[in-house]
Amino acid sequence: MRNFKLLGMAFLALCLFNCSQDEIVEEQQVIKPTKTDIEYSKRAGLKPIGSGVMMQAFYWDVPAGGTWWNTINSKVADWSNAGIDAIWLPPASKAHNGPFSMGYDPFDYFDFGEYNQMGSTETRFGSRAELINMITTAHNNGLSVIADIVINHNSGGASEANPYTGGNTWTDFNPMSGSFLRSATDFHANNVHSNDSGAFGGYPDLCHHQTYVQDWLWKNSNSVAKYYRDVIGFDGWRFDYVKGFEPWVVKDWKNEVGGFTVGEYWDSNVSTLDTWTSSAEASAFDFACYYKMKDAFMGNDLTALNDNMLWKQNASKAVTFVANHDTDEIIDNKILAYAYILTHEGYPTIFYNDYEEWLNKERLNNLIWIHNNLAGGSTDILHVDTDEYIARRNGYSNSGLVVYINNSNSWQERWVETNWSSTVIKDYTGHSGWEPTTQSGKWVKIQAPPKSYSVWSVK
């Protein structure tokens, strides 16, 4: 998340209804889905999420002007061919800062660039038609599309008298879509409690204990979650700032509409991350891994990779990353960090700028191929010191691999124990021309170039 400056403008409240929101919700028909977990990967031709690599398909302050959905549309075929299985989009609906917003100050969850409000019709990223066209192109290329969901807070409401605070608050939301109108009762403080797990940046903080809020966000047939899934075409969810509300919210959302789900729980404590994944029944970004990689590659001490990370404790729930729109601190040796996450357990994510602008795309494509074709099974760390790190993936439906990361300034060689007896192996990165034969006892000498890596498997 990023902090936003709240705009000092009040909006005239429209008297659209003569009844309270509590009365409205009683009139709405709540339709339960026929099954609690929609298997999105069974949509025609989609790769199963987690079978490849996720692409974060944006960065902070992508170009304004409504061109971003078309930009992504032009790239998804190449990404799919490279081995990407899902793309994560920025928050797609209309936000308070209109044509300039990155979407993290949500106003109208049902306006994807079709209503003239908050200073524009299109969002920063484009129109509703362009968004749906891009998602269709992604689906046609086998890619799932993950929505960035911001439900901790809202922005852009008009000022109203608030009986729970004794003053005025910016909590009167009357979006032009006519869906999910909100008032002071739907935010903290209210008649339920004064706060939940945490507010953010001074924004009105949604109260997920209110039945009305639950119904509009995920329960009703016309809820945000079902509209995103059934009308716009999203396949999964990335929940923003999940520290701000209880994990049962994510769990209930996923149980209602299904789909791959990952939370942004920004914490380096492995036990805290693992506890959240258990409670939310969802994946989490592996911030523990991120910070250990920062220590290893920015601090030039690869022994940090020996420390615990979410992927080591609960690999099936770990989404690993080297950079994202908020956090891009691993500058030195960044390709070594990608060699790490793309050869280890967890579901790896590639950052748009790293792939399209900053790093060598050919090397990243090679690592994606290695991840998708060789990096199976459990992991054993074979050697680690300040400059060198060697680990073995033991294989599952493939041969497995041995990755050798060398952060020194010279070529390095080591004898390692593999899973292959009397077998010719090679370096699938092409950095080494060796093709050694493992001994009958499975030992072999491998090498790695300076400030680089090699990945070895059966020829």
Side-chain angles (χ1 to χ4, degrees):
M1 279 300 308
R2 298 288 179 97
N3 286 315
F4 296 90
K5 293 181 180 178
L6 291 173
L7 301 180
M9 48 189 297
F11 296 88
L12 294 177
L14 299 176
C15 185
L16 301 178
F17 300 94
N18 292 321
C19 55
S20 70
Q21 290 183 346
D22 289 335
E23 290 171 332
I24 294 172
V25 74
E26 288 176 0
E27 296 173 1
Q28 293 173 328
Q29 182 182 9
V30 179
I31 301 175
K32 297 290 184 182
T34 56
K35 56 182 180 179
T36 59
D37 189 12
I38 306 297
E39 296 186 36
Y40 293 91
S41 62
K42 291 185 178 179
R43 283 179 174 172
L46 292 196
K47 307 174 186 179
I49 295 181
S51 63
V53 175
M54 183 197 306
M55 175 68 73
Q56 180 177 354
F58 66 100
Y59 54 93
W60 198 258
D61 285 345
V62 302
T67 63
W68 193 247
W69 298 144
N70 289 337
T71 296
I72 298 305
N73 190 64
S74 70
K75 295 181 181 296
V76 292
D78 288 341
W79 291 349
S80 178
N81 290 334
I84 300 299
D85 66 14
I87 57 173
W88 157 26
L89 301 185
S93 60
K94 188 68 62 67
H96 185 187
N97 208 22
F100 308 107
S101 177
M102 285 297 295
Y104 291 95
D105 51 340
F107 172 73
D108 188 343
Y109 288 102
F110 294 85
D111 178 2
F112 292 88
E114 64 236 70
Y115 297 102
N116 187 2
Q117 57 183 340
M118 295 298 150
S120 68
T121 298
E122 292 190 348
T123 67
R124 182 190 191 103
F125 314 112
S127 68
R128 172 195 174 102
E130 290 165 343
L131 170 64
I132 293 176
N133 182 57
M134 182 268 292
I135 291 175
T136 300
T137 302
H139 287 165
N140 289 341
N141 283 276
L143 300 182
S144 298
V145 183
I146 297 172
D148 202 319
I149 301 298
V150 186
I151 58 171
N152 175 73
H153 52 272
N154 290 168
S155 185
S159 179
E160 65 176 346
N162 190 326
Y164 309 106
T165 65
N168 275 43
T169 53
W170 302 91
T171 49
D172 184 17
F173 286 79
N174 290 280
M176 288 186 68
S177 68
S179 298
F180 196 17
L181 310 182
R182 283 145 281 163
S183 66
T185 302
D186 305 311
F187 299 91
H188 297 107
N190 56 22
N191 60 309
V192 178
H193 47 200
S194 60
N195 63 279
D196 58 2
S197 296
F200 181 84
Y203 292 112
D205 187 52
L206 272 173
C207 177
H208 302 95
H209 285 85
Q210 294 286 24
T211 300
Y212 177 83
V213 172
Q214 294 178 24
D215 287 344
W216 267 113
L217 284 181
W218 68 86
K219 287 186 176 180
N220 280 358
S221 60
N222 57 344
S223 67
V224 172
K226 291 170 187 172
Y227 195 84
Y228 270 58
R229 181 190 71 186
D230 301 332
V231 179
I232 304 300
F234 283 103
D235 308 292
W237 322 101
R238 179 266 185 190
F239 280 89
D240 180 70
Y241 190 60
V242 296
K243 279 188 174 183
F245 47 92
E246 293 88 346
W248 64 261
V249 174
V250 174
K251 178 181 176 181
D252 281 11
W253 178 299
K254 181 180 179 181
N255 286 344
E256 186 73 28
V257 297
F260 172 81
T261 306
V262 58
E264 182 211 32
Y265 198 101
W266 198 326
D267 200 301
S268 63
N269 186 288
V270 177
S271 295
T272 300
L273 292 171
D274 197 23
T275 297
W276 185 87
T277 66
S278 177
S279 299
E281 297 182 0
S283 297
F285 287 101
D286 195 346
F287 279 93
C289 177
Y290 172 80
Y291 284 111
K292 293 306 176 184
M293 289 194 298
K294 180 184 173 185
D295 292 342
F297 298 114
M298 291 297 291
N300 293 308
D301 183 5
L302 300 193
T303 61
L305 300 178
N306 251 340
D307 294 341
N308 199 16
M309 307 172 191
L310 182 59
W311 76 257
K312 296 183 181 182
Q313 190 158 314
N314 192 352
S316 67
K317 297 298 185 182
V319 178
T320 53
F321 66 100
V322 175
N324 63 30
H325 61 294
D326 284 333
T327 306
D328 190 11
E329 301 169 288
I330 302 175
I331 305 300
D332 299 333
N333 307 310
K334 182 179 273 193
I335 193 66
L336 303 189
Y338 274 109
Y340 181 80
I341 68 167
L342 287 164
T343 55
H344 284 66
E345 292 170 74
Y347 180 31
T349 303
I350 290 183
F351 184 44
Y352 179 94
N353 274 344
D354 288 337
Y355 187 83
E356 293 290 343
E357 303 291 341
W358 295 337
L359 299 181
N360 185 305
K361 186 181 292 188
E362 183 178 343
R363 293 181 73 180
L364 285 171
N365 282 342
N366 170 252
L367 286 169
I368 294 170
W369 184 93
I370 286 170
H371 172 270
N372 293 352
N373 292 277
L374 302 176
S378 59
T379 304
D380 291 320
I381 298 176
L382 304 180
H383 175 83
V384 62
D385 61 33
T386 302
D387 293 327
E388 298 172 66
Y389 173 89
I390 307 174
R392 181 179 67 222
R393 293 296 300 278
N394 293 307
Y396 181 67
S397 58
N398 50 40
S399 299
L401 58 79
V402 174
V403 56
Y404 191 163
I405 298 175
N406 175 16
N407 197 33
S408 76
N409 293 315
S410 59
W411 279 84
Q412 299 295 331
E413 301 174 358
R414 288 208 176 263
W415 283 90
V416 295
E417 185 178 14
T418 72
N419 287 320
W420 316 299
S421 177
S422 303
T423 302
V424 178
I425 65 172
K426 73 171 191 175
D427 171 22
Y428 275 82
T429 70
H431 296 157
S432 171
W434 282 8
E435 292 189 0
T437 300
T438 62
Q439 297 178 343
S440 58
K442 301 182 181 180
W443 285 79
V444 70
K445 182 190 282 189
I446 57 175
Q447 63 177 190
K451 297 295 181 181
S452 191
Y453 54 90
S454 55
V455 180
W456 304 81
S457 189
V458 175
K459 183 179 178 181

